[in-house]
Amino acid sequence: MTRILPLLTGAAVLSAALLSTGAQARTLKEIKASGTIKIGTNAEFKPFTYFEGKTMKGFEYDLGNAIAKQMGVKAEWINQPFDGLLIGLNQNRFDLVISSHGVTPERAKAVDFSAPHYCSGGLIVSRPGGPKTAADLKGKTVATQVGTTYVDQIKKVTGEKNLRVYPNNANALQALMSGRVDAMVNEKFYGLEALKLNGKKLQQGEMMFQEKLAMAVAKGNSTLLSAVNQNLKTVQANGTYAKISKSYFGQDVRCK
Ligand code: ARG
C-alpha cells in the first residue's frame, strides 16, 4: 500500500537542509586525491537515473560519468529518496547531486547550482477522458512526488486539498493508473515514458510550466562548482552530450 507522506513543503525541507550544515564539503583537490566523486541521485526516474536489474542507467547517469571522467575521477552513485538529496548534500554524504532539480530561488539559498544541464518542464498525464490542461485540473485530485517543483504548480491550480504527494514517482503513477487520483504532473520525459509503457490506458495533457534543471554542490563549494561547469561545457562542445541525449530522448535537450 502506498503511504501518502505528510505534506512536507519545500520550505520545511530546505530549512532542515540549512540547519544541518556544519561538516566541510570536499574541495575539488580532495575529490581528485581520493580518485572518486560521490554523486547522489533518486534512481527511479526513467530515463534520467533508474535501475535495470542491479545496473544504474540513464541520461543523468551517463552525463555524470562523462563529467567525472573529464575530471579524472571515478563516479560513485548513491541512490536515495528525492526529498533528502539536498539535505544529504549539505551533510556531505555526497559531493554532487544530479537528480533533475529545477533551479528555484528557494533551493538556491541552500545549495549552489551548476549551469543547467537540460531544459524541460512539467507535463500533465491522465486517463482517457480526464483533465488535459491546467484549467481542467481545477477541483481534480493530482498526484506527484514529494519535494518536487510540481507540488507548488499543482497547488496553484487545484489547491492543497486536492494535491496527493507520494514518496516516489512509481507510487504517483500507480495512483493514477488505479483511479485513486484524476491526473499526475511530472517531468515531461518521465510522463512520456509512462505513456509509452501504458498504451491506451493513459493520455497526454499539456505542459504546465518550463524549468531549468541543474546539478547541485554544497553551498560555497566553488572549486567543485567551477570544475563541474567547465566539464559540462566540454562535453557539450565535444559531441559527448549530444550523443548521450539523443540515445535517451531522440533529441538534444540542452537549454537553448
Ligand atoms: N524537476 C522536479 C524538481 O525539480 C522533479 C525532479 C525529480 N527528480 C527525481 N530524480 N525524482 O523538483
Side-chain angles (χ1 to χ4, degrees), residues 15-254:
S15 45
L18 284 168
L19 286 174
S20 63
T21 49
Q24 200 56 48
R26 298 200 302 166
T27 62
L28 179 66
K29 203 169 156 197
E30 287 164 339
I31 292 165
K32 282 192 166 175
S34 79
T36 307
I37 183 165
K38 292 188 197 159
I39 309 178
T41 195
N42 175 223
E44 53 100 24
F45 202 48
K46 195 176 180 181
F48 295 96
T49 52
Y50 61 99
F51 279 97
E52 237 172 59
K54 285 187 174 150
T55 315
M56 202 188 284
K57 296 202 164 162
F59 168 69
E60 290 182 310
Y61 179 75
D62 288 357
L63 182 62
N65 285 339
I67 288 170
K69 194 170 162 197
Q70 285 293 323
M71 284 168 56
V73 294
K74 218 178 110 283
E76 179 192 333
W77 290 82
I78 299 157
N79 177 31
Q80 66 153 65
F82 181 73
D83 64 333
L85 284 168
L86 299 185
I87 298 170
L89 184 61
N90 278 338
Q91 292 170 337
N92 299 306
R93 277 194 274 149
F94 10 83
D95 305 300
L96 181 64
V97 165
I98 313 183
S99 206
S100 292
H101 279 86
V103 177
T104 67
E106 194 187 37
R107 287 173 176 166
K109 283 184 204 150
V111 299
D112 282 342
F113 281 114
S114 70
H117 62 290
Y118 75 102
C119 272
S120 189
L123 179 73
I124 300 170
V125 177
S126 59
R127 293 181 307 280
K132 286 176 91 167
T133 65
D136 293 343
L137 291 182
K138 197 156 188 270
K140 305 280 188 220
T141 52
V142 185
T144 200
Q145 184 183 29
V146 68
T148 61
T149 47
Y150 316 123
V151 169
D152 290 335
Q153 302 294 327
I154 295 168
K155 270 191 209 161
K156 269 192 225 159
V157 293
T158 189
E160 182 140 5
K161 78 169 187 353
N162 289 320
L163 167 71
R164 301 287 181 274
V165 286
Y166 294 87
N168 57 48
N169 295 295
N171 302 137
L173 178 58
Q174 196 46 48
L176 173 63
M177 301 282 301
S178 65
R180 276 176 286 142
V181 295
D182 299 313
M184 171 178 85
V185 173
N186 212 317
E187 158 55 40
K188 173 172 88 180
F189 291 102
Y190 182 85
L192 293 177
E193 194 73 28
L195 286 159
K196 207 160 67 187
L197 291 175
N198 294 288
K200 298 203 160 61
K201 289 185 204 141
L202 294 177
Q203 70 174 0
Q204 182 175 343
E206 71 174 14
M207 288 289 287
M208 250 177 97
F209 70 106
Q210 313 280 332
E211 62 179 355
K212 290 183 173 164
L213 299 299
M215 302 173 263
V217 301
K219 193 100 210 138
N221 194 350
S222 57
T223 55
L224 178 58
L225 186 63
S226 55
V228 167
N229 280 332
Q230 189 193 320
N231 291 316
L232 173 63
K233 246 190 205 157
T234 304
V235 299
Q236 285 189 326
N238 72 13
T240 307
Y241 179 98
K243 198 169 145 218
I244 297 171
S245 178
K246 282 183 186 141
S247 79
Y248 287 98
F249 309 113
Q251 57 181 280
D252 191 318
V253 294
R254 82 184 71 189

